Every structure is written in C-alpha cells, then in structure tokens.
Amino acid sequence: METEDGKLFQFMNKHLMGPMGKLASFPIVQAVMAAGMASIPFTIVGSMFLIINILPQSFPFLTGIWAGSFDKVTNLYMLANGATMGILSLYFCLVFGYEYTKIQASAHKIDVNPLNGALLSMMAFFMCIPQLVFKGGVATLVTTVNKTTKIVDGYEIAGGVTRLGTTGIFTAIIMAIIAVKIYAFLVQKKVTIKMPETVPVGVSRSFTALIPTATVALVVILINGLLIAINTDIYKIVAIPFGFVTSLTNTWVGLLVVYFLMHALWLVGIHGATIVTSFLTPIVLSNMQDNIHGAHIPFAAEFNNMFVTIGGSGSTLGMVIFIAFFARSAQLSALGKASLVPAIFNINEPILFGMPIVYNPFTAIPFFLAPMASMSLAYFAIKLQFVNPPVAQQAWPTPVGLGAFIGTAGDWRAIILAVLCALVAFIIWLPFIKAYDSRLFTKEQAKTGA
C-alpha cells in the first residue's frame, strides 16, 4: 500500500509538481497573482455598498425603510461601487504593469521604473477601450444609442464605462504585457534619452520613458488599426478564449477538474489555491457582475470560500473540530486544538503541514473528495435556484455561514447550504481521519510501552 502510494506521489511530482512549479515561477503568473491580491480590498468594499443597495430584495420588509432612507442617496453611495467594481480592470492593469516591470528589472538587470511601467500599461489599455469602425475608409468612433445599447463616441456606457469593468481584465493584462515588454526592451537596448547625471532622478526617468511611451502608443495604434480593419478589436478577440474557459468553469465537470487540480498541487507542496484561483479571479468577478444583472451562476465571487473550502483547502473544518475534541492520538488532539481558531477563519496551513496532509497518502483521498463533494452540493443547489447566487465579495476568512449570507446579499438559505457543505465534507473525512488517528495512537502507545 505505502509502496503504491509512494509511486503515486512520485508520479505527481514528475507530471504535476514540475510543470505547475515552473508555471508558478513565470513572471506573468506572478504579476497576475499580485494583481489579484491587490484587487481584494476594492472588490470587498464595492460589494458592501452593493449589498446595501440590494438588501430589500432578500428582505422585502426593508423596502419601506429603504425607500425613506438609503434609496434617496443610492446614486451617492453607489459611487463607491462604481469606483471599485466598475473600474476593476484598471486596478488589474496598474498593479500588473507595476509588478511585471519590477520582475523585468530584476530578471534582466535593467533600470526600468515600475511606476512608468504601470502608467505605460494604463495608456496602452485605455487606447483599446473605445470602439471604432472603418466607414468609407475613415476610422470612426462608434455611436449607437437605443433601448439596449448606449455607445457614445466609442465608449459603451452602462452605469459607467463598461469596458473598464470585469470584462476588461484580460485585455488589461495583455496590453500591460505588451507595454512593459516594449519599455524593458528599449531600455535594455539603450534606445532612450539619456540625461546628464546632474539632472534630478525624477526628471531623468521621465525622459528615459519618452521614447518607450511613443513606441508603445505607435504599436497599440498599429494593433488596433489592423484589428479594426478586419471588423474586430482586442476585446472581441480576447472574448473568444475567455468565453470558452468561462463556459467550462461554469459546468459541474469543469469545476471538478478545477478542484482536483487545486488539491493535487497542495498534496505535492504547491499552494494550489493561489495558483489556480489567480487565473480564475477574472472569471468569478465577471460571473458576479452577471449575477448582479440577473444571471444565476454558481461559480462567482467567493463561491470557493463560501461553500467549498470551508476551514481551508480540503474542506477541513469538521475534521479539525473532530481531532481537537475526539482524537485519541495526543499529537492529533494537540494539533486540532492549536488549529481550531485558524480553521474557523478558513486558514489551515497548520493542518496541511503539521498533520501533515502534504505528501500524506493516508489523507490524500478525503483531501480530494471532500471539496469536490461540497462543491457539487453547492453547485446544484444554486443552479437549481434553491439558493441565490453569489453577488458580492466578502473577505475570504469570513466564518462558515456568515460568508455565504453576506455573499448572497442576505439569503438565509445560503447559511444552511454552507453548513450542509461543511457537514458533507466532514462525513467524507470521518472514516479516514479515524483510521489515521488509530494508527498514530497505536504508534504512540508502542513508544510509551503502554
């Protein structure tokens, strides 16, 4: 048994840990992770104001109270939502450009300013937002105003500039890559304006970025011109693969694959949640916006921490409670008590590395199955409309039930669903952890001679 498990982990190391470890070290992946982390406070704050706005939909008795209070200043306080969720792609663009420039500077030993990289990224991104068409050989900004569409001078408006929202995240990242690569290349090749050493650093850096800025602008103009000539643009091009991946992750089978990969990486010592979710952040945020406008997509916002990885990766909350109070093994009991409070807030690194779960064949099966089971329960409960879909982003450490309640804008049924998900995960863990507990207890007894 242990020999077979050893072979399994050797196989995973070779075919999973190696490739995914390399993937995690890619500069683009690191910059995406940084952008996703930096966006968290903005998505949470924007969601809180959204919850205030839509709370009467979940609690109709509040309608009268809201009519005489919050509804009178909706346009005022929802500015916070528009300035966060409404321009989320801009945050991604700036942070990605900044971090990616830092990585380029370190990798190639060149003097590129991260702030310049961020601003160049923003410029390139904004050049792609307006919609243009060629009419009679003339590049013309699109203007279309009807009941369903409002595009004025190329800018689509729907409670703000549409393309600055979540739909623009991937375009923002692509344009930031292009801008920073051009900037780094020109600096590396010394195709810049070099000022005397007596010139202040700030002024010198401004002139250093002058040629890269002009080059980025010309390159983006050329890209836009070629795409417009074939009746498309970068947004429409990006939408093709983005739409495919989104459709895949919005299926039950697709999510099974997602959670398998996430936990397979953890088992071989790679932070699977960080790597996988960094790629999926634009999707869950976009799905959340769709849910706000009437869709019913399960995999949105903090679906993962609301219903799936309750207690941390592997859905370990119930298991931690069990070993804290019922384990016979002194080692597991002590570990459970030490891990209990972090687990309530969805933090389980003490268990992952202290039990350990990483590289442990005795806990591998429930570590895979528990989150897949809780995901399945939550997916179908939301898909079949027994529970409202996630429409708001709450802090990921929010305890079980409370996070689901907030994320669904006050649906009390989400609390029950979250508890059921945790219970299902625990039922899967129970026979395995009892067997593991007995094994450790027997070893402890043998050591003490009892």
Side-chain angles (χ1 to χ4, degrees), residues 151-166:
I151 305 175
V152 179
D153 291 337
Y155 292 91
E156 185 175 359
I157 309 297
V161 179
T162 305
R163 288 188 164 189
L164 281 175
T166 54

Side-chain angles (χ1 to χ4, degrees), residues 73-406:
V73 289
T74 296
N75 291 329
L76 177 61
Y77 70 75
M78 282 299 285
L79 289 174
N81 180 268
T84 51
M85 294 299 300
I87 58 170
L88 198 59
S89 59
L90 178 57
Y91 291 106
F92 264 78
C93 182
L94 288 170
V95 177
F96 183 95
Y98 186 91
E99 293 293 333
Y100 195 49
T101 305
K102 284 174 58 179
I103 293 170
Q104 294 296 311
S106 175
H108 301 290
K109 309 299 181 186
I110 52 178
D111 185 21
V112 286
N113 184 5
L115 182 57
N116 283 345
L119 294 176
L120 285 169
S121 300
M122 183 177 68
M123 180 192 75
F125 175 49
F126 268 87
M127 289 177 67
C128 296
I129 293 174
Q131 299 181 46
L132 294 94
V133 292
F134 276 113
K135 285 186 177 180
V138 178
T140 306
L141 289 167
V142 175
T143 296
T144 303
V145 179
N146 53 46
K147 291 182 179 180
T148 58
T149 305
K150 185 179 181 181
I151 305 175
V152 179
D153 291 337
Y155 292 91
E156 185 175 359
I157 309 297
V161 179
T162 305
R163 288 188 164 189
L164 281 175
T166 54
T167 57
I169 291 176
F170 280 117
T171 298
I173 291 172
I174 290 170
M175 300 317 298
I177 292 171
I178 292 172
V180 172
K181 279 292 189 182
I182 292 172
Y183 178 33
F185 175 79
L186 293 176
V187 171
Q188 188 176 21
K189 298 300 181 182
K190 304 187 185 304
V191 186
T192 59
I193 297 175
K194 186 70 175 177
M195 302 297 290
E197 293 183 1
T198 55
V199 176
V201 175
V203 176
S204 178
R205 283 178 174 172
S206 297
F207 278 90
T208 300
L210 189 59
I211 292 177
T213 301
T215 306
V216 169
L218 290 172
V219 169
V220 176
I221 288 171
L222 179 61
I223 292 172
N224 286 342
L226 290 173
L227 293 176
I228 293 165
I230 57 175
N231 199 32
T232 187
D233 59 31
I234 187 68
Y235 270 84
K236 295 173 184 175
I237 295 293
V238 169
I240 297 172
F242 177 74
F244 172 76
V245 176
T246 300
S247 298
L248 182 64
T249 57
N250 289 342
T251 66
W252 175 63
V253 174
L255 288 181
L256 286 176
V257 174
V258 165
Y259 283 101
F260 172 81
L261 288 175
M262 187 185 297
H263 290 84
L265 289 171
W266 259 125
L267 282 176
V268 291
I270 296 177
H271 200 307
T274 299
I275 294 176
V276 175
T277 57
S278 66
F279 288 105
L280 299 179
T281 294
I283 293 174
V284 294
L285 292 176
S286 180
N287 287 345
M288 181 177 73
Q289 289 295 95
D290 289 342
N291 285 342
I292 291 169
H293 295 104
H296 216 93
I297 304 170
F299 192 57
E302 280 292 340
F303 172 84
N304 179 56
N305 291 303
M306 289 179 196
F307 303 114
V308 185
T309 56
I310 297 172
S313 294
S315 307
T316 56
L317 179 61
M319 182 268 283
V320 170
I321 295 173
F322 175 81
I323 64 173
F325 298 105
F326 302 104
R328 294 191 297 163
S329 163
Q331 174 187 331
L332 279 188
S333 179
L335 182 62
K337 289 180 173 64
S339 304
L340 187 57
V341 173
I344 292 173
F345 296 96
N346 297 328
I347 300 168
N348 69 344
E349 274 76 3
I351 285 290
L352 291 175
F353 297 102
M355 183 175 279
I357 289 175
V358 174
Y359 283 107
N360 188 342
F362 297 95
T363 58
I365 293 176
F367 190 70
F368 277 117
L369 292 184
M372 288 182 174
S374 56
M375 178 279 294
S376 299
L377 177 59
Y379 176 87
F380 288 109
I382 295 172
K383 195 73 174 177
L384 298 174
Q385 303 192 16
F386 293 125
V387 176
N388 290 342
V391 294
Q393 188 95 345
Q394 87 285 357
W396 64 265
T398 309
V400 58
L402 180 59
F405 181 76
I406 294 172

